[in-house]
Amino acid sequence: MKVWIEQEYCTGDGLCEEICPQVFKLGDDGLAYVRDDGAVSSDGGKIGAVLVPEDLEDGVLDAQAECAGECIYVDR
Ligand code: SF4
């Protein structure tokens, strides 16, 4: 499964980072980004999509369900 965030719709509330900090991280610009193997992807949108380890898929889907901006996308 791959995940990415469309930052233009992100409210910056940080819920995704609270729910699944292994995958999501608020950036210096106050918007959420996805982590890629420890580093935070600096690319926004689908170009910044990263592969989600299997054991974190449930956390990503929980974050997606709670995302106020409805801007967390997954591709399976
Ligand atoms: S939960 Fe959604 S709106 Fe909130 S910080 Fe994360 S990506 Fe942005």
Side-chain angles (χ1 to χ4, degrees):
M1 185 173 95
K2 284 189 160 192
V3 63
W4 71 95
I5 295 171
E6 294 292 345
Q7 277 79 12
E8 66 178 295
Y9 303 109
C10 175
T11 69
D13 61 17
L15 259 183
C16 52
E17 188 178 13
E18 270 179 44
I19 293 170
C20 192
Q22 301 94 329
V23 173
F24 300 104
K25 167 103 182 111
L26 279 184
D28 292 340
D29 58 3
L31 303 175
Y33 290 84
V34 288
R35 295 181 187 273
D36 189 6
D37 203 17
V40 179
S41 172
S42 56
D43 290 324
K46 193 167 185 181
I47 200 168
V50 302
L51 207 56
V52 179
E54 247 181 68
D55 60 325
L56 296 176
E57 288 187 355
D58 285 348
V60 166
L61 294 175
D62 286 350
Q64 183 190 35
E66 297 296 325
C67 174
E70 298 183 358
C71 54
I72 296 174
Y73 291 83
V74 299
D75 194 4
R76 307 186 204 221

